[in-house]
Amino acid sequence: ISIISLPILRTAKQDFDPTKVQSPHREFISLLKIPTYLHYLAVRFLESFATTLVLSGMLYYLTLVEGFSGDTRTRYVLAIGALIAVVTLAVMIPWTQFFRFRRSSINTNAVSGSVCAVGVVAPIALFLGDSFLPRPIGLILYACVEQATWTGQTYWRLIALGWLVDEDSLATAHRRREAVFAAGVSLITSIGAGCAMA
């Protein structure tokens, strides 16, 4: 595929014009004037905050609530990680099929957001699991429900960033600023994770 696409990329390559390039700070500030990008950064901040909170919270839950330590805690952490991986792979199949075809009658943003919102039932799974099943099955159910509902959001945020870059390119005389977009997202994601750890 790369051999086929190389001539096309060479044809589409634009001449470098240094007069249109600003400093990284000015480029980033100019991106902050795009309302859609601000919304995207808010989503990534909240996602990073929630993911870090859940992951660190599970470790504290196993330690402080369940009373596990040492090898026992490590085994449960590995088991939860393996189950999360299995759940992710399982739900990737329908999500891949969903995003592969464009349907004018279906709002992919609404579908992805609605499935992500279903994650609010995860604490209920934790409560019911701890109440009626051997512990820490409730925590395992909680982690699996959270991951199952968040996987579509992962697809959405990758696709949405591509949309943003393309729209920005069209609005700025075909200037491509993927690196500045990605740097801003990385910064906000790190801040979200840091706030969750604090």
Side-chain angles (χ1 to χ4, degrees):
I1 295 174
S2 61
I3 294 176
I4 296 173
S5 63
L6 190 58
I8 299 174
L9 291 174
R10 284 177 176 167
T11 304
K13 185 177 179 181
Q14 300 174 12
D15 295 331
F16 175 68
D17 186 356
T19 61
K20 294 183 179 180
V21 179
Q22 305 179 64
S23 67
H25 298 93
R26 290 182 181 274
E27 291 282 1
F28 181 65
I29 291 172
S30 69
L31 291 184
L32 295 180
K33 298 176 183 178
I34 304 173
T36 309
Y37 187 57
L38 292 176
H39 175 78
Y40 184 79
L41 291 179
V43 170
R44 292 303 305 272
F45 176 87
L46 293 173
E47 181 189 31
S48 176
F49 183 89
T51 302
T52 305
L53 198 63
V54 167
L55 292 176
S56 60
M58 282 192 289
L59 184 60
Y60 286 119
Y61 190 91
L62 288 172
T63 304
L64 303 176
V65 177
E66 300 294 352
F68 297 138
S69 62
D71 293 341
T72 303
R73 181 178 58 196
T74 302
R75 282 195 296 271
Y76 276 113
V77 169
L78 292 175
I80 292 173
L83 285 172
I84 288 176
V86 170
V87 169
T88 303
L89 292 174
V91 297
M92 277 178 62
I93 298 171
W95 276 119
T96 301
Q97 292 301 317
F98 174 75
F99 283 113
R100 179 174 290 176
F101 303 104
R102 184 168 187 166
R103 304 168 184 86
S104 58
S105 60
I106 297 178
N107 185 336
T108 55
N109 298 332
V111 172
S112 179
S114 299
V115 174
C116 187
V118 175
V120 299
V121 304
I124 299 174
L126 173 63
F127 174 75
L128 293 176
D130 281 352
S131 299
F132 302 104
L133 298 172
R135 300 169 77 106
I137 292 180
L139 180 64
I140 294 173
L141 291 175
Y142 171 85
C144 290
V145 170
E146 286 285 2
Q147 186 60 29
T149 56
W150 281 356
T151 302
Q153 185 72 3
T154 301
Y155 267 94
W156 177 87
R157 63 179 168 84
L158 293 174
I159 295 170
L161 184 58
W163 290 337
L164 278 169
V165 172
D166 287 342
E167 291 292 332
D168 178 68
S169 176
L170 293 173
T172 56
H174 303 290
R175 289 179 59 212
R176 303 290 294 186
R177 301 192 287 180
E178 295 97 330
V180 185
F181 275 99
V185 170
S186 178
L187 174 65
I188 292 299
T189 302
S190 300
I191 293 174
C195 290
M197 293 299 292

